[in-house]
Amino acid sequence: MNAVIACGGTGGHLFPGIAVAEVLRDRGHEVMLLISEKEIDALAVSGHNNFRFEKLPTVGLPSAFSPALFGFARRFYESFAVCRTLYRKFKPQVVLGMGGFTSTAPVLAGRIRGIATFIHESNAVPGKANRLTARMVQGVMLGFKECAPFFPKSHTEVTGTPVRTELVRLDRREARRKLGLQEDVPTLLVMGGSQGASGINQALIKSLPFLHGLNLQVIHLSGARDERLVSDNYRRENISAYISAFYHRMEEPYSAADVVVARAGAASLAEFAAFSLPGILIPFPYATHDHQTRNAEIYARADAAVLLKESELSGELLARKISELMQDPHRMQQMAANCSRLAPQDAAGRVANTMEKYHS
């Protein structure tokens, strides 16, 4: 079949979309991926030359009375028109939207063509785009069962959030060697998701003076904006660290780490679970409907992570939580086991199965 996957805007939409595309391609289907014009999309797809990517005008819904609504309507229509043109040539039989307004126009264009349409919602609380788009699709696939009550009139199915096929666990010592780290020192991974996260970077910088004396090395993925600042602070505090703005082969830092300090985007959480990586989760406080806190609560309830609110965070508190975990190997082991139980089994395959079942 010919399938369209609309997955642009953030890594949280893009990477699960690519994961489904990989499964469909391996099963002999043709796949077109629709992404946004954002830099993050270009960065994320740079290593995937074997797929057909098409860019759509970036669309973000402004507030109800904002003058930006006119711009939104214009770009949405442009996006819709591009989809209709692409579909005339590609003739898709199924369209999957991974969330965000980049996926709404492609789903609408598919619905008007009379073909099977679906959305996938990774988070515990759905975004505005998926709440709206759910009304026009055959089925809504979910990362968390806790999200089902938000779609009372839709056919829902819990698939889990797809994880990219290249994310395969490596030998821990080997992964540390690749990052230029010592093989036998407990390792902390700090990351802010595809956008980088200044809040996490600042908190970690403030925690560094309290981490002296702890047997520890750090992998810190800072995002481009804070890379220099983060680097300077580790050097000043003389704490051993591998620092980079981004990292393309994420299987290496995931395999090297014992504990992660991160945001709580659903795609990242699915990846932590796949690598049995317990975490200290600091949800992004301005996420729509505070969905990252809801995601993190699921992991905290399962004792797979410690949840800290950014508003209550201090350097001392974060350092204390890091120390408590890293000095208690038994607790880390238990949390890692709990985390792996949250890993979705073959989520990308389940999504692909549903698409195949309905395609016309």
Side-chain angles (χ1 to χ4, degrees):
M1 69 184 179
N2 288 358
V4 167
I5 300 177
C7 57
T10 71
H13 297 140
L14 240 161
F15 295 129
I18 290 171
V20 176
E22 285 168 338
V23 170
L24 289 171
R25 186 195 55 202
D26 291 347
R27 294 183 185 182
H29 305 302
E30 288 290 319
V31 187
M32 179 199 289
L33 289 132
L34 302 180
I35 61 173
S36 80
E37 297 162 333
K38 286 185 184 175
E39 192 184 342
I40 180 63
D41 289 29
L43 201 66
V45 305
S46 55
H48 293 275
N49 308 327
N50 44 356
F51 282 119
R52 177 180 174 184
F53 291 97
E54 298 287 348
K55 288 185 181 177
L56 299 179
T58 307
V59 183
L61 183 67
S63 59
F65 302 106
S66 165
L69 267 175
F70 297 107
F72 167 81
R74 180 175 51 81
R75 289 178 76 75
F76 186 88
Y77 180 74
E78 283 170 17
S79 191
F80 177 70
V82 170
C83 291
R84 296 203 71 177
T85 304
L86 289 169
Y87 290 6
R88 273 198 290 276
K89 289 183 185 154
F90 185 65
K91 297 188 171 50
Q93 287 130 330
V94 60
V95 178
L96 170 66
M98 297 302 296
F101 277 95
T102 303
S103 71
T104 305
V107 170
L108 178 60
R111 175 69 193 266
I112 285 171
R113 273 184 84 88
I115 60 177
T117 53
F118 301 93
I119 55 171
H120 185 281
E121 176 54 67
S122 292
N123 293 296
V125 179
K128 285 183 282 202
N130 269 352
R131 287 172 195 241
L132 181 71
T133 316
R135 297 169 196 175
M136 48 178 127
V137 297
Q138 260 92 342
V140 178
M141 294 181 256
L142 305 173
F144 294 117
K145 67 178 188 303
E146 286 82 354
C147 190
F150 292 97
F151 298 106
K153 293 183 177 164
S154 303
H155 171 72
T156 58
E157 179 187 345
V158 181
T159 58
T161 292
V163 171
R164 296 166 279 168
T165 51
E166 70 259 32
L167 294 182
V168 175
R169 195 194 302 246
L170 311 171
D171 174 73
R172 179 165 279 173
R173 297 165 79 86
E174 169 72 14
R176 288 176 181 171
R177 253 202 319 275
K178 285 188 174 184
L179 291 155
L181 296 168
Q182 294 181 66
E183 291 178 22
D184 52 358
V185 174
T187 304
L188 177 72
L189 169 61
V190 181
M191 55 184 275
S194 59
Q195 321 281 4
S198 277
I200 282 190
N201 294 338
Q202 293 294 338
L204 220 291
I205 286 168
K206 287 175 187 154
S207 78
L208 292 178
F210 301 100
L211 291 173
H212 289 297
L214 188 63
N215 185 27
L216 169 83
Q217 58 190 355
V218 185
I219 303 161
H220 194 132
L221 308 181
S222 62
R225 200 173 48 183
D226 290 346
E227 188 180 8
R228 168 75 62 83
L229 174 72
V230 166
S231 246
D232 290 348
N233 277 278
Y234 279 95
R235 202 175 304 117
R236 195 180 65 229
E237 296 296 338
N238 199 20
I239 289 176
S240 172
Y242 171 91
I243 296 147
S244 179
F246 300 102
Y247 203 81
H248 280 297
R249 297 179 304 283
M250 281 304 294
E251 64 277 12
E252 291 174 13
Y254 284 155
S255 298
D258 296 288
V259 174
V260 62
V261 173
R263 293 301 194 194
S268 296
L269 291 177
E271 292 174 2
F272 303 158
F275 283 81
S276 311
L277 196 52
I280 295 170
L281 300 177
I282 306 165
F284 180 54
Y286 308 108
T288 318
H289 306 301
D290 201 20
H291 69 254
Q292 286 207 3
T293 299
R294 304 285 90 79
N295 295 347
E297 283 169 353
I298 292 168
Y299 275 59
R301 276 199 301 273
D303 193 30
V306 173
L307 169 55
L308 294 178
K309 290 202 166 155
E310 189 167 308
S311 57
E312 298 162 6
L313 203 55
S314 67
E316 195 171 355
L317 174 65
L318 181 55
R320 189 168 76 243
K321 294 295 180 187
I322 290 169
S323 303
E324 282 170 4
L325 263 183
M326 303 213 66
Q327 291 177 314
D328 189 345
H330 177 72
R331 172 105 201 273
M332 275 199 296
Q333 250 176 348
Q334 189 56 58
M335 286 176 73
N338 295 340
C339 192
S340 70
R341 279 196 281 276
L342 294 171
Q345 297 308 306
D346 191 28
R350 289 184 192 183
V351 173
N353 291 346
T354 299
M355 293 168 77
E356 285 174 333
K357 201 161 59 187
Y358 280 83
H359 99 265
S360 48

